[in-house]
Amino acid sequence: MAYSQALLEEWMREFYYDANIDIGSSGVHPWSFGEIRNMLNISTKDLDRLVMMDSTSYGDLHLRLAIANRWGNSDPNSVMVTHGSSEAIYLALNSLLEHGDEVVVLDPCYHSLESIAEEIGCTFKKWQLREEEGFKANIENLRKIVSNNTKMVILNFPHNPTGVTIEESELFQIIDLISKYDAYLLWDGAFSELVYNSDPLPDPTIHYKKAISTGTFSKCYGLPGLRFGWCLADQKILSKFIPLRDRLTLHLSPLIEFIALESIKNIDLLIHARKEEAIQNLSYLSKWMETNNEFIEWSPPLGGVTVFPKFKDVNVDLMCRNLGKDFNVLLVPGSCFGNKSRVRLGFGCKTEDLQKGLEILGNYINSKEFSKCIL
């Protein structure tokens, strides 16, 4: 299967690794292994006891039980651990969809949630999060596009890149709608625990038998380099993933599974520290937006650590490229999400990095060089 280029990943390859200041990424900033060992009380003896043997296709039982108890229905048989949520998404889409299937997907959305199904040969209906509605998820618009032909609905809330989310009552409306058509619900829950004005949404798999949800340590918990994720679904659905996994990754490393299990035991500690910083950063970002509104329009987020502000009458790709080349600042153009007038601005970085990045961005949009970006 030949995949087209992923615009977001191409941009990150070009600017992410050389950036001194990152205000474009979608997760909180990462912990060092030393910090993790100290917080989780992992000793060298704990590590030395690990045996580098194969794990199982679904993952270590104790790890799956911990995931099921924290995010799922307490049944370890409803869990598969994966190499980040990216593998879980790939397994689910390639195992459950076929050429010609109708898929409903959010617009905008994270690239893999759409592109994999596109390469399979699925047909798409877009549930648009409309700019004029502040990207609010309008359930009535979803009702108009789900049909008897719909095989799967793919959603992620809190949403990347806009930061919008839905209420619990709206989630149940969505589940009720999808169940009437007996369609799958693929739920990307990467930001599920990082919300600001509400409690986290319940996992859809608890309430709908044809739901598949994915999770990751990369966004909310500061462990992107661990490449650890999971998939929650009915055991009969998970069993459909095994033939592909047998030809792909087989299983996880016992070292990764050990660190993941210890992390889940202390998951509130990990997220609390990063969430407190995100709240502080969001307050600073809000004030910055108020004083730089000549060229920028934005909607404050309800979850996650990204916003999707609009730059009025600006060549956004050129602006972001200049920031990367001339100032080593990572800012992701909205063209990576199908919207050329916006940027994905991440505020999950260290507070001093956010302040420095916004200072550079503010100085740039008030400089003579910025005039070259004005349309």
Side-chain angles (χ1 to χ4, degrees):
M1 186 180 295
Y3 286 98
S4 58
Q5 289 183 332
L7 297 180
L8 174 61
E9 302 307 331
E10 288 291 322
W11 189 272
M12 299 298 273
R13 263 189 291 275
E14 185 171 358
F15 294 107
Y16 173 72
Y17 298 100
D18 293 330
N20 293 328
I21 302 292
D22 179 358
I23 55 171
S25 291
S26 57
V28 301
H29 61 95
W31 303 100
S32 72
F33 189 51
E35 289 172 322
I36 287 296
R37 284 186 57 209
N38 288 333
M39 285 192 295
L40 307 185
N41 294 314
I42 297 174
S43 68
T44 54
K45 290 183 179 179
D46 294 327
L47 298 174
D48 290 344
R49 280 194 291 267
L50 289 173
V51 179
M52 292 297 136
M53 63 182 294
D54 293 336
S55 185
T56 72
S57 298
Y58 291 94
D60 175 78
L61 177 60
H62 296 95
L63 176 56
R64 289 188 286 124
L65 180 59
I67 293 170
N69 285 336
R70 175 72 185 196
W71 293 286
N73 61 4
S74 300
D75 179 6
N77 293 319
S78 68
V79 181
M80 175 184 283
V81 299
T82 58
H83 294 263
S85 59
S86 296
E87 184 188 10
I89 292 167
Y90 188 85
L91 290 171
L93 294 177
N94 278 282
S95 301
L96 301 176
L97 296 177
E98 298 177 350
H99 182 90
D101 284 341
E102 180 181 283
V103 174
V104 173
V105 66
L106 283 170
D107 182 24
C109 73
Y110 182 66
H111 67 89
S112 68
L113 297 176
E114 179 179 8
S115 63
I116 295 172
E118 186 176 31
E119 295 298 338
I120 291 170
C122 298
T123 60
F124 284 93
K125 288 183 176 179
K126 301 291 184 73
W127 181 18
Q128 291 187 332
L129 304 180
R130 296 174 177 172
E131 290 183 310
E132 61 270 24
E133 297 177 348
F135 294 105
K136 177 179 170 58
N138 189 321
I139 308 297
E140 293 308 310
N141 291 338
L142 178 63
R143 294 185 192 281
K144 296 175 183 178
I145 58 177
V146 179
S147 71
N148 288 322
N149 295 324
T150 302
K151 182 71 170 291
M152 180 181 286
V153 178
I154 304 174
L155 305 178
N156 70 302
F157 293 108
H159 181 253
N160 177 13
T162 66
V164 300
T165 192
I166 58 176
E167 298 178 358
E168 184 174 313
S169 60
E170 293 174 311
L171 172 60
F172 289 128
Q173 290 180 52
I174 291 171
I175 290 174
D176 181 64
L177 172 63
I178 295 173
S179 65
K180 289 179 180 178
Y181 296 100
D182 196 34
Y184 289 109
L185 168 61
L186 179 59
W187 181 268
D188 176 359
F191 301 94
S192 61
E193 291 203 86
L194 192 50
V195 290
Y196 301 114
N197 300 315
S198 62
D199 293 328
L201 293 167
D203 195 274
T205 60
I206 300 173
H207 303 282
Y208 183 42
K209 197 167 186 178
K210 294 192 73 171
I212 308 101
S213 73
T214 64
T216 177
F217 275 1
S218 296
K219 303 302 181 183
C220 298
Y221 309 107
L223 296 171
L226 196 63
R227 299 308 305 145
F228 178 77
W230 61 89
C231 186
L232 298 173
D234 185 89
Q235 201 279 328
K236 290 182 180 179
I237 293 177
L238 291 179
S239 67
K240 296 177 183 292
F241 301 175
I242 293 298
L244 179 56
R245 188 163 220 203
D246 284 345
R247 293 160 174 82
L248 194 64
T249 61
L250 296 176
H251 50 74
L252 268 63
S253 158
L255 176 60
I256 300 301
E257 291 190 330
F258 170 76
I259 298 172
L261 179 56
E262 295 304 308
S263 298
I264 294 173
K265 291 177 182 177
N266 298 274
I267 201 71
D268 288 322
L269 179 64
L270 294 182
I271 193 171
H272 177 75
R274 291 299 188 247
K275 184 175 181 179
E276 287 299 306
E277 190 169 35
I279 292 171
Q280 179 181 340
N281 287 353
L282 179 55
S283 176
Y284 184 88
L285 175 62
S286 299
K287 294 175 183 176
W288 186 90
M289 288 289 183
E290 290 176 7
T291 58
N292 291 273
N293 58 11
E294 180 181 356
F295 289 101
I296 309 172
E297 296 175 354
W298 83 307
S299 297
L302 299 175
V305 286
T306 63
V307 292
F308 204 44
K310 181 177 183 178
F311 279 75
K312 295 171 279 187
D313 301 318
V314 171
N315 184 331
V316 169
D317 278 69
L318 179 60
M319 178 188 72
C320 291
R321 185 167 295 278
N322 289 344
L323 287 168
K325 290 173 58 179
D326 299 337
F327 300 96
N328 288 329
V329 172
L330 173 67
L331 187 63
V332 176
S335 57
C336 294
F337 298 90
N339 191 316
K340 292 185 177 182
S341 66
R342 294 181 177 268
V343 302
R344 185 179 75 179
L345 194 157
F347 59 93
C349 52
K350 296 179 180 179
T351 298
E352 57 266 32
D353 286 348
L354 177 67
Q355 293 175 352
K356 183 63 176 177
L358 292 178
E359 179 185 357
I360 293 172
L361 176 58
N363 290 338
Y364 180 73
I365 62 179
N366 287 291
S367 70
K368 291 182 179 180
E369 284 299 308
F370 182 66
S371 63
K372 300 176 183 177
C373 301
I374 297 177
L375 298 175

